[in-house]
Amino acid sequence: MSMIRLTIDGHALDVTAGTTIWAAAQQSGIRIPVLCHDPQLRPVGVCRVCTVEVQGARTLQAACVRPVEDGMVVRTATASVLGARRTLVELLLADHPSPCAREQVGNCALEYLGRDLGIGLPRFAARAWHDHYDTSSPVIAVDHRACILCDRCIRACDEVQSNEVIGRAGKGYDTRIAFDLGQPMGNSTCVSCGECAAACPTGALIDKPLTQPRADSLARGPEHVVDSVCPYCGVGCAIQYHVRNGALVQVSGGADSPVNQGRLCVKGRYGFDYAHHPQRLTVPLIRRGDHYPKGALSPEVRGDERAGRPGGLVNYDDVLPAFRAAKWDEALDLIASRMRAIKNTHGGGALAGFGSAKCSNEDNYIFQKLVRAVFGTNNVDHCTRLCHASSVAALMETIGSGAVSNVFADVALADVVLVIGANATENHPVAATFMKAAAKRGSTLIVIDPRRPPLADHADYYLRFKPGTDVALLNGLMHVVIRDGLINADFVRDRTEGFEALRATVQHYPPDVAARITGVPADIIETVARCYGRARCAMIFWGMGISQHTTGTDNARCLISLALMTGNIGRPGTGLHPLRGQNNVQGASDVGLIPMVFTDYQSVKDPAVRRRFERAWGVALDPNPGLTVVEIMTAAQAGTIRGMLMMGENPFLSDPNTNKVRKALAALDFLAVQDIFLTETAEFADVILPATSFAEKEGTYTNTDRRVQLGRKAIEPPGQARTDWQILCDIATRMGYPMRYQNPEEIFREMASLTPSYAGLSYERLGSIGMLWPCPSPTEPGTAVLFTERFPRGKGKFVPAEFAPAKELPDHQYPYVLNTGRLLEHWHTGTMTRRSKALDALEPEAYAELHPADLRNLGLDEHDLARISSRRGAITIKVRAGERTAPGSVFIPFHFREAAANVLTIDALDPFGKIPEFKFCAVRIERAQ
């Protein structure tokens, strides 16, 4: 790369060609002020505050856009430069409210610059404003008086988040920023990511206070910042907690992180105040006995009109009388004695535990160790069973590893990006920004989904297919790739096996056959197959639209085969990436929170592996795989599982067939729950223990990229709440198996010693940005791209799959297909997000989305109450019209207890991954009476 020599304020510099004057000055420690410029955004030079003198130039030059030239001589602080700068800033300050909202917390760039330049009261008349406040957004306040038209908000919205909501409206002196060409911000298509407010240098766009300390403590103490990790989806964004007087007051993005590069979504930026919610559990609770039988106070799930009411949080006034406050010793002794009694009477197999992907690696390692070494069983599982169990089953079978092959940021290197069954813009919003950016730069984006996701607006091809026909569609694509000679013959020969069996299977799925099954036109199947097959680098992302089917493992097998036959794996910009749903579902799986494997997916059936863990833990271990989530609930209803410990899980809302779950929970002899709120599941407990929220503890979390990151404690827990790992250690010790650790770091060291992929990791090495696994030794940096030379199983294996219909098809009695999923504003069972002020305001109640034609046929209008029923139960819910949902289908988010979608879903399982079919069951829809 060629170098340029120039002089700035008498200092000779050598910089790379293409560098701007401003960037060159920054590199040499010379400060040139800016207002419109941000290094993360495209420079535009609209504010002119950065103007400098360039020898030989007729006019002052904007340093943020002017590239350097060889021999250039620049002066940054001459009389003419300072005079122009003062006049410009004084003009801006004349219209500016002083202090503006941002300056009240000390960071308005304009007012800071005015003081730096010695500007007092401006000499110029202020502009007359009308309607300058816009408070319609629940999260961002707009004050047009403070706006300096720097366009940073526009560029942040367009270039970083790719949402294209903000622009300019008006002319001349009446120009202002506008949302969707003049809508109030709260009524626009804004997704409340907060990127605009983060980029704004003044008080024109500022985050609204979400916790009381933010509003009343400005003069009561300094603010300090704690680096941590977002507690929501599997993207694992780096965040910074802003803490004042012991309270979280704001969250910003970690700019240095390779994961999110400072970006956040609405949940990550504004969903933090649940930690201060008045319903936090603060003392242990013990059930008062038979006066309040289990399940008597749990939410009604028979589908009467009461279930359709908004505001469906647990009614503490109704539930708390069933419990009494207890001392920690009493509560822990009771759990230990009851669990021990069940084990002594019925054996360890009568006990089970649900850990949580919302908890740290250390919490979950101790949890599975407790279940295995103390309870004496492998009946331990968590929500990965409801998320990507089928994906992992297929990956383990075909490749030998359940991990993603490439980080999601590799999408920038891909020629073709295929996203199937993944509503990334709502479920993995920050990852979606990288996908949208790749499409803008020229990557071909293919989106395949029965319900049109917003990402389809950025796609070159969107394929809507009939629900449940994934295998037929993917076999059709592979048929064309093979027929047209687009396979990578060398890769198939050298690195795979079983190709001929796959070829024989997909031969029966030519485009016309696939089209009849799927509803996708044959010519589109041909075009998309050729597009993927001809790509130099192609990357596949998928979500729970692929995995949450009884054919989920077959769906994933087909995607893997598509990548293998084209050689699109093992290189940057290629590969397979099942987007993980929760913030630590990858890590919880890595550390053994799965019934058939120990840490690092080491089989419990392998005698050598088992001996290693027996030596480390000092006890004999069960050689038989345990039961999975749904199997445990079935066994509880049957009476073979009698006691359970649950950490941070809420199966009453997250598991399929809620009425069955209700019966199972009520049938348990003993249930202990540790959580931060009294959840729907906790209503069935005999003992409830108050745990710590994400911001109140230290530990590691592993994101969808396999990046292990350190979450740091920012605030103290409320009342008597304790960290999860400490609670578990106390239970184990009381059951006769002493567990004593000084801190999470000590747990991590033990865990890493038994986990080959984590062996080279340590808290010290994780630092502020974390590290990728596998990292087998302390001298290795972590691995970004897997399977570059070989697969863990040796050769990649083609596993053919035949199309098979869903377990429950629509008929004349139940004619509609139900699809469930998440909303951008909420997460999982809503335990945290529905207790977040902003998130609840943005999406406060449940709804069912139907195609407008279906609403007309049913005689329903927007917001009418409908009764939706399946063979398992019924709910009452408001309806919305939406063309994203195909005719004949209905979409219901599963976050809302008062209209719980999983009352309807079927608990039929994929035979390989043991994952239930959340994405397909038959329902009937009628007007609520």
Side-chain angles (χ1 to χ4, degrees):
M1 185 175 291
S2 61
M3 301 297 291
I4 298 291
R5 169 153 285 202
L6 74 159
T7 302
I8 303 179
D9 291 343
H11 300 279
L13 309 173
D14 291 308
V15 298
T16 57
T19 303
T20 64
I21 294 173
W22 183 85
Q26 286 288 105
Q27 293 174 25
S28 63
I30 298 171
R31 176 179 173 268
I32 300 176
V34 290
L35 289 175
C36 74
H37 185 60
D38 184 319
Q40 303 298 318
L41 304 174
R42 175 177 50 88
V44 291
V46 297
C47 78
R48 317 306 284 187
V49 166
C50 68
T51 52
V52 295
E53 278 189 3
V54 174
Q55 186 172 298
R58 293 185 300 108
T59 60
L60 297 178
Q61 304 292 298
C64 71
V65 295
R66 176 70 189 267
V68 298
E69 297 175 4
D70 200 37
M72 177 182 277
V73 177
V74 179
R75 297 180 180 87
T76 70
T78 64
S80 61
V81 167
L82 293 177
R85 192 172 292 157
R86 285 193 188 98
T87 300
L88 177 58
V89 172
E90 189 175 4
L91 283 165
L92 293 172
L93 284 170
D95 286 338
H96 190 79
S98 186
C100 71
R102 190 174 298 277
E103 184 55 22
Q104 292 174 24
V105 293
N107 61 355
C108 173
L110 176 61
E111 296 187 52
Y112 176 86
L113 182 54
R115 289 194 301 271
D116 192 46
L117 293 171
I119 298 172
L121 187 68
R123 296 168 291 166
F124 307 106
R127 174 180 177 179
W129 276 98
H130 302 285
D131 301 323
H132 54 85
Y133 282 125
D134 176 2
T135 59
S136 58
S137 165
V139 295
I140 297 171
V142 183
D143 184 356
H144 289 282
R145 296 177 305 165
C147 179
I148 58 173
L149 295 176
C150 67
D151 290 351
R152 277 168 64 164
C153 61
I154 298 173
R155 285 174 285 149
C157 188
D158 291 355
E159 298 169 19
V160 178
Q161 294 282 347
S162 295
N163 289 325
E164 285 87 30
V165 176
I166 312 176
R168 286 191 181 199
K171 295 181 179 180
Y173 204 50
D174 292 327
T175 304
R176 61 168 64 188
I177 59 166
F179 307 92
D180 288 345
L181 301 178
Q183 292 290 318
M185 189 180 199
N187 298 341
S188 71
T189 56
C190 171
V191 296
S192 302
C193 67
E195 198 72 46
C196 58
C200 180
T202 71
L205 295 163
I206 190 164
D207 294 338
K208 288 184 174 180
L210 297 179
T211 56
Q212 188 61 32
R214 178 66 176 170
D216 68 6
S217 65
L218 295 178
R220 293 192 295 129
E223 183 175 287
H224 68 276
V225 177
V226 179
D227 292 330
S228 193
V229 188
C230 179
Y232 289 112
C233 81
V235 173
C237 294
I239 62 171
Q240 293 184 319
Y241 285 120
H242 297 251
V243 183
R244 178 172 283 129
N245 294 333
L248 302 176
V249 295
Q250 189 179 12
V251 168
S252 56
D256 295 333
S257 170
V259 177
N260 57 314
Q261 301 173 12
R263 310 171 193 192
L264 292 176
C265 76
V266 61
K267 291 189 292 291
R269 198 180 300 275
Y270 301 115
F272 60 85
D273 52 317
Y274 70 90
H276 299 302
H277 197 278
Q279 288 187 345
R280 282 291 302 274
L281 293 170
T282 58
V283 296
L285 301 173
I286 294 177
R287 183 172 290 278
R288 291 183 182 275
D290 294 338
H291 185 61
Y292 293 95
K294 291 184 179 182
L297 300 173
S298 59
E300 179 60 57
V301 290
R302 290 194 302 270
D304 61 23
E305 189 169 336
R306 289 175 297 164
R309 295 182 303 181
L313 293 177
V314 173
N315 189 330
Y316 275 37
D317 291 338
D318 289 343
V319 176
L320 282 177
F323 298 89
R324 62 174 176 83
K327 300 292 186 182
W328 269 103
D329 284 342
E330 179 188 11
L332 292 169
D333 286 343
L334 179 58
I335 294 172
S337 63
R338 293 295 301 275
M339 294 295 190
R340 187 167 50 243
I342 292 172
K343 178 181 178 182
N344 291 341
T345 303
H346 303 284
L351 297 175
F354 285 172
S356 175
K358 296 180 281 293
C359 295
S360 69
N361 289 323
E362 294 78 3
D363 293 333
N364 285 307
Y365 173 78
I366 293 298
F367 189 91
Q368 60 89 35
K369 182 178 178 180
L370 167 67
V371 173
R372 290 188 159 108
V374 185
F375 290 3
T377 178
N378 288 315
N379 294 334
V380 61
D381 209 351
H382 73 297
C383 66
T384 192
R385 193 63 47 202
L386 313 175
C387 177
H388 270 298
S390 54
S391 302
V392 172
L395 288 164
M396 292 293 291
E397 174 188 33
T398 58
I399 290 174
S401 168
V404 300
S405 64
N406 296 58
V407 300
F408 65 76
D410 256 14
V411 70
L413 306 175
D415 302 321
V416 172
V417 183
L418 193 158
V419 183
I420 180 169
N423 183 3
T425 45
E426 294 182 316
N427 294 338
H428 305 88
V430 171
T433 67
F434 289 82
M435 298 175 191
K436 291 185 281 188
K440 284 183 174 181
R441 285 192 296 267
S443 298
T444 299
L445 177 60
I446 302 166
V447 175
I448 306 176
D449 206 297
R451 180 174 180 255
R452 182 184 174 94
L455 190 63
D457 295 340
H458 301 262
D460 297 271
Y461 303 101
Y462 166 60
L463 280 64
R464 170 177 274 168
F465 61 101
K466 294 176 183 177
T469 62
D470 310 67
V471 168
L473 177 59
L474 295 170
N475 279 348
L477 295 175
M478 288 189 284
H479 176 100
V480 175
V481 170
I482 295 172
R483 183 201 68 194
D484 290 1
L486 301 177
I487 65 169
N488 186 327
D490 292 341
F491 189 94
V492 170
R493 181 192 65 241
D494 297 337
R495 295 197 56 188
T496 71
E497 62 186 16
F499 178 69
E500 291 306 319
L502 180 85
R503 184 203 297 268
T505 296
V506 303
Q507 183 179 357
H508 303 298
Y509 294 85
D512 58 333
V513 171
R516 286 198 299 272
I517 298 172
T518 66
V520 178
D523 62 325
I524 297 298
I525 294 174
E526 297 255 8
T527 300
V528 168
R530 293 192 191 106
C531 177
Y532 181 88
R534 290 169 178 163
R536 179 183 58 86
C537 293
M539 199 168 183
I540 300 176
F541 294 91
W542 74 91
M544 282 162 273
I546 283 290
S547 61
Q548 289 180 335
H549 289 276
T550 52
T551 58
T553 303
D554 280 343
N555 295 343
R557 285 166 172 159
C558 291
L559 290 172
I560 297 164
S561 292
L562 186 60
L564 289 175
M565 70 172 55
T566 55
N568 276 303
I569 192 166
R571 295 177 285 119
T574 68
L576 301 159
H577 196 123
L579 289 158
R580 267 41 178 187
Q582 295 201 40
N583 65 316
N584 200 35
V585 76
Q586 180 67 59
S589 302
D590 295 343
V591 303
L593 205 63
I594 299 176
M596 58 285 299
V597 294
F598 296 114
T599 68
D600 214 5
Y601 310 94
Q602 301 171 86
S603 174
V604 300
K605 295 190 293 184
D606 186 323
V609 168
R610 202 166 55 253
R611 282 195 297 271
R612 184 179 180 212
F613 280 85
E614 288 174 338
R615 286 195 299 269
W617 294 350
V619 293
L621 297 172
D622 186 354
N624 302 306
L627 301 177
T628 62
V629 163
V630 177
E631 291 172 331
I632 287 172
M633 282 300 165
T634 300
Q637 188 178 359
T640 54
I641 295 291
R642 294 173 175 268
M644 285 194 69
L645 174 63
M646 294 192 189
M647 176 181 72
E649 286 286 84
N650 190 14
F652 188 93
L653 287 187
S654 64
D655 286 16
N657 195 350
T658 298
N659 281 311
K660 178 180 175 180
V661 176
R662 178 193 183 107
K663 294 173 184 176
L665 293 172
L668 288 168
D669 291 349
F670 186 78
L671 172 63
V673 172
Q674 55 192 73
D675 215 315
I676 62 175
F677 294 108
L678 203 163
T679 63
E680 291 78 9
T681 299
E683 294 180 42
F684 292 82
D686 297 279
V687 180
I688 304 172
L689 303 176
T692 45
S693 75
F694 198 88
E696 296 157 3
K697 61 184 177 183
E698 184 177 64
T700 58
Y701 302 82
T702 308
N703 78 342
T704 191
D705 281 343
R706 298 175 275 105
R707 182 173 295 274
V708 184
Q709 301 177 93
L710 188 59
R712 295 172 176 84
K713 181 178 178 179
I715 57 175
E716 293 299 322
Q720 300 176 31
R722 295 184 183 179
T723 56
D724 288 290
W725 68 266
Q726 290 174 319
I727 295 171
L728 300 170
C729 288
D730 283 343
I731 294 172
T733 300
R734 281 170 165 79
M735 291 185 69
Y737 183 89
M739 280 196 201
R740 295 186 177 93
Y741 301 91
Q742 295 299 312
N743 50 48
E745 186 173 5
E746 184 179 350
I747 299 171
F748 187 90
R749 284 196 294 268
E750 177 181 310
M751 179 185 76
S753 72
L754 293 166
T755 310
S757 293
Y758 281 50
L761 302 179
S762 66
Y763 272 30
E764 182 180 6
R765 293 197 74 198
L766 294 179
S768 61
I769 62 172
M771 293 184 66
L772 295 167
W773 72 258
C775 183
S777 79
T779 60
E780 298 188 47
T783 310
V785 180
L786 299 185
F787 323 132
T788 55
E789 301 295 333
R790 65 183 301 277
F791 297 108
R793 71 176 303 277
K795 287 191 172 185
K797 181 180 180 181
F798 289 99
V799 180
E802 294 281 6
F803 167 69
K807 292 298 182 184
E808 183 180 78
L809 297 174
D811 56 24
H812 70 281
Q813 188 177 6
Y814 296 95
Y816 289 87
V817 173
L818 170 66
N819 177 21
T820 67
R822 297 177 180 173
L823 302 178
L824 170 65
E825 297 80 7
H826 287 296
W827 185 66
H828 214 230
T829 62
T831 303
M832 292 151 55
T833 55
R834 297 197 71 191
R835 290 177 173 90
S836 171
K837 175 183 174 182
L839 302 180
D840 188 58
L842 286 164
E843 199 61 77
E845 61 181 338
Y847 66 88
E849 182 183 272
L850 288 92
H851 192 275
D854 286 334
L855 283 182
R856 288 193 297 270
N857 293 336
L858 290 163
L860 293 171
D861 293 322
E862 184 100 2
H863 306 305
D864 279 352
L865 281 175
R867 187 175 189 271
I868 302 181
S869 56
S870 72
R871 291 176 174 87
R872 290 152 295 281
I875 61 173
T876 302
I877 191 170
K878 286 184 178 180
V879 296
R880 288 187 190 175
E883 295 191 358
R884 291 177 58 186
T885 296
S889 298
V890 55
F891 169 79
I892 301 178
F894 67 89
H895 315 289
F896 301 91
R897 112 185 208 135
E898 64 273 23
N902 282 326
V903 170
L904 309 172
T905 51
I906 189 170
D907 55 355
L909 300 181
D910 175 286
F912 305 98
K914 303 295 182 69
I915 191 171
E917 187 152 45
F918 287 110
K919 298 298 184 186
F920 197 114
C921 73
V923 297
R924 180 172 62 246
I925 306 171
E926 53 202 340
R927 180 180 294 278
Q929 300 301 315

